[in-house]
Amino acid sequence: MLETFRNAWKIPDLRRRILFTLMMLIVFRFGAHIPVPYLSTEAMQAFLGNGGTDLFSLFDVFTGGAFSNATVMAMGVSPYINASIIIQLLTVAIPSLERLAKEGVEGRKKLNKITRYLGIALGFVQGAGLYVTLYNMKATAGLDAISNPGVLTFFVIVLTFTAGTAFLVWLGELITEKGLGNGVSMIIFAGIVSRIPAGAKALYEQFLSTGVSVKGLIIVAAVIVVAVLAIAFVVYFSDAERRIPVQYAKRVVGRKVYGGQSTNIPIKVAMGGVMPIIFASSIMAFPATIVRLISGGNLPSEGVGYYILSCLSAGLGPAWTSVVYAVIYFALIIFFTYFYSSIQFNPIEFSNNMKKSGGYIPGIRPGKPTSDYIGRVSSRLNLIGSIFLGIVAIMPVIFGAVFNISSLQLGGTSLLIMEGVALEKVKQIESQMVMRHYKGFLE
C-alpha cells in the first residue's frame, strides 16, 4: 500500500487529486468545530451519554465527534445516506425511478438530484426532532440545552444543522469529481479516523482506573490481538469472490468471427459490504432513539421497558442483555444481507442478458437452469458473507461486554467502513496509475 501511494505521488495529476482530497477533508474537520448558535455543548454531551448504542451514537462516530460538540456538521451525511437507501429501495418498487436508473448517466444524474433534495429534507426533519428533544431536556433532566428558545431560535438551529448536511454533501461531490473516489465515503472515513485518538485515550484511562495489574495488561494485549485479527479478517473476506466460468459461442458476421472466448462471473462473498450492518444497526437503535426523542433524552431505568431497550442497545443493561443484543443483531445482519443482495443482484435478469449475448455456463443449460444455478451459488455466498459480517459486528460487542469496555460497542461497523474505503482507494489509485502508464497500440 505504501509503495502504491509513493508511486502515485510521482504522477502530477494523481498528486493534485490526493492534495485536493486532503484539503477538502481538512475543511470538513474545521467545520466540525464551528458551534451552533443558542445550543449548549455540555447539554449535547450529557444527552449523548444518557444511553447506549443508538442512532445518535452512530451520528457521533460518523461525524468525528461533531454531534457531541454541537457543531454545524452535527448531522453529518447521515440524512443523505438515509435518502440514498430510500431511493435505492424505491427504485425497485416505483417504475418511473426504475426507468431513470436504466437510462445511463443522465438517469443517474436525475436520481442523484432527487436523492440530494430528499437528503436535505430529511436533514431538516431530523434537526427539528433533535431540537424538540433538547428543548424537553429542561423539564426531564433540568438542563438548559437551548438558550432563548423560540420560533427564531428553532429555525436558526434547525437550518444550521440542515446547512451543515447540505455543505457536506456538496463537499463530497467535489471530492468525487476532482479528488479520489466516493466523496461521501471519504467524509465518513475521515470522521471515524478522527475518533481513534479519543477512543485510544478512553481505553487508556479505563486501564489506569483499574490499576496497572496483570488483568489490565491482559485486556490491553487482548484488544490489540483482536484488532489485528479483525483487520486481517476483513481484508481477506473483502476481496474474496467465487468465479463462475462462462463460455461465449462463436458468431460469424460477414467475414468476422465474434465470441468464442472464455471468461468468468466474479461474485463477491461480502456482496452487500457494510450496508447490512448499517441497516441492522439502524433497526436495533430505532426503539431507543424514539424513546429518547419523546422523553427528552432519558431512558427508563427499571421495569419491562428497561430490559427490552437493554436487549436492543449494547452496553445499556446487565451483561445478559448484551448476549441477547448480539443474537438479535447477528440474525438481523443475516436477514439484511439476503435482502440487500436480492435488490442488488437479480439472477434471472443476469441469466437473460448472458443468453442474449450468446454466453453459457459449461454444463448448465441456458435460461432457467442457469438462473437457478447462479441463485444457488449467490445464496450460499450470502450465507458465508452474512456470517462473516455478523462475526465482525458482534465481536466488539461481546468483547466489550466481557471486559466492560463500552468504547468498543461500535467498533465492528467502523472497522468495516474504514477497511472498505481504504481498500477502494488503493484499487482506484492503482487503476489510475495503470491508465497513465499505458502507452497504447499506436506507440
Side-chain angles (χ1 to χ4, degrees):
M1 181 182 291
L2 294 178
E3 184 68 23
T4 301
F5 280 103
R6 188 161 47 246
N7 294 332
W9 190 258
K10 299 176 183 177
I11 303 175
D13 185 32
L14 278 180
R15 185 166 60 245
R16 284 194 296 269
R17 287 180 173 270
I18 293 173
L19 290 175
F20 182 84
T21 302
L22 291 176
M23 289 299 297
M24 293 300 101
L25 294 181
I26 291 174
V27 171
F28 159 60
R29 292 311 303 160
F30 271 116
H33 291 83
I34 300 175
V36 177
Y38 307 113
L39 198 58
S40 169
T41 304
E42 292 77 12
M44 185 73 90
Q45 292 175 352
F47 167 73
L48 190 64
N50 282 343
T53 305
D54 57 10
L55 286 179
F56 301 112
S57 301
L58 287 174
F59 284 161
D60 198 48
V61 170
F62 291 163
T63 58
F67 184 86
S68 59
N69 293 327
T71 63
V72 172
M73 298 179 180
M75 302 303 296
V77 292
S78 298
Y80 179 77
I81 293 175
N82 294 334
S84 301
I85 295 172
I86 291 172
I87 294 298
Q88 201 170 30
L89 295 177
L90 290 179
T91 302
V92 183
I94 301 177
S96 58
L97 293 179
E98 186 177 3
R99 285 194 299 270
L100 283 178
K102 295 180 179 180
E103 286 181 2
V105 178
E106 292 300 322
R108 284 195 297 270
K109 286 183 179 179
K110 294 179 181 178
L111 281 179
N112 289 337
K113 188 176 181 180
I114 296 173
T115 305
R116 201 178 303 124
Y117 288 141
L118 180 59
I120 294 174
L122 289 178
F124 184 86
V125 173
Q126 291 180 10
L130 183 60
Y131 175 90
V132 173
T133 303
L134 295 174
Y135 178 79
N136 292 334
M137 285 185 68
K138 185 175 182 179
T140 57
L143 291 174
D144 288 324
I146 300 172
S147 60
N148 192 22
V151 178
L152 179 61
T153 304
F154 168 81
F155 280 105
V156 168
I157 293 177
V158 175
L159 290 178
T160 302
F161 283 148
T162 309
T165 297
F167 179 77
L168 281 181
V169 172
W170 175 73
L171 209 65
E173 291 180 350
L174 277 182
I175 295 175
T176 303
E177 181 182 354
K178 300 180 180 179
L180 285 174
N182 190 308
V184 173
S185 64
M186 282 299 296
I187 289 174
I188 296 175
F189 176 82
I192 294 174
V193 170
S194 67
R195 297 294 290 170
I196 292 179
K201 182 182 177 182
L203 287 175
Y204 179 71
E205 290 176 350
Q206 188 167 1
F207 172 67
L208 290 181
S209 64
T210 58
V212 180
S213 60
V214 176
K215 180 181 178 181
L217 293 175
I218 292 175
I219 292 175
V220 172
V223 170
I224 295 174
V225 170
V226 169
V228 172
L229 290 177
I231 291 172
F233 198 48
V234 171
V235 171
Y236 177 77
F237 269 92
S238 295
D239 289 335
E241 61 185 20
R242 166 73 185 277
R243 297 178 179 177
I244 301 177
V246 177
Q247 181 72 34
Y248 285 91
K250 292 183 178 180
R251 293 180 299 159
V252 179
V253 181
R255 295 184 178 182
K256 294 183 179 180
V257 179
Y258 295 92
Q261 73 271 22
S262 299
T263 183
N264 58 74
I265 307 172
I267 302 179
K268 283 190 170 293
V269 175
M271 188 182 301
V274 75
M275 294 307 297
I277 289 185
I278 293 178
F279 284 168
S281 301
S282 301
I283 294 297
M284 294 288 286
F286 188 73
T289 303
I290 294 299
V291 171
R292 295 183 70 184
L293 287 173
I294 295 174
S295 63
N298 293 325
L299 291 174
S301 57
E302 58 183 8
V304 178
Y306 167 71
Y307 288 106
I308 292 176
L309 291 178
S310 298
C311 293
L312 299 176
S313 183
L316 182 60
W320 65 269
T321 59
S322 296
V323 177
V324 178
Y325 171 86
V327 173
I328 299 175
Y329 193 25
F330 191 86
L332 282 177
I333 289 173
I334 294 178
F335 170 76
F336 281 114
T337 299
Y338 279 91
F339 174 75
Y340 192 76
S341 174
S342 65
I343 294 175
Q344 294 291 105
F345 184 72
N346 188 349
I348 298 176
E349 183 178 353
F350 198 91
S351 172
N352 292 334
N353 292 336
M354 189 168 60
K355 183 179 178 181
K356 292 176 182 177
S357 58
Y360 62 94
I361 300 174
I364 307 294
R365 296 183 61 184
K368 190 175 184 304
T370 298
S371 64
D372 292 341
Y373 175 77
I374 296 176
R376 285 196 303 270
V377 173
S378 175
S379 178
R380 293 169 184 171
L381 292 178
N382 283 333
L383 179 61
I384 298 173
S386 61
I387 293 175
F388 149 69
L389 290 174
I391 290 174
V392 173
I394 69 172
M395 185 166 52
V397 176
I398 296 175
F399 194 83
V402 171
F403 294 102
N404 194 24
I405 305 175
S406 58
S407 58
L408 293 179
Q409 304 296 349
L410 294 172
T413 306
S414 304
L415 178 64
L416 277 171
I417 293 174
M418 287 193 298
E419 291 285 337
V421 174
L423 291 174
E424 179 189 1
K425 293 298 168 284
V426 171
K427 291 178 181 178
Q428 288 174 347
I429 291 175
E430 288 178 347
S431 63
Q432 293 278 346
M433 291 170 59
V434 170
M435 182 178 68
R436 281 162 177 76
H437 283 94
Y438 181 66
K439 298 182 181 301
F441 292 107
L442 298 179
E443 296 182 8

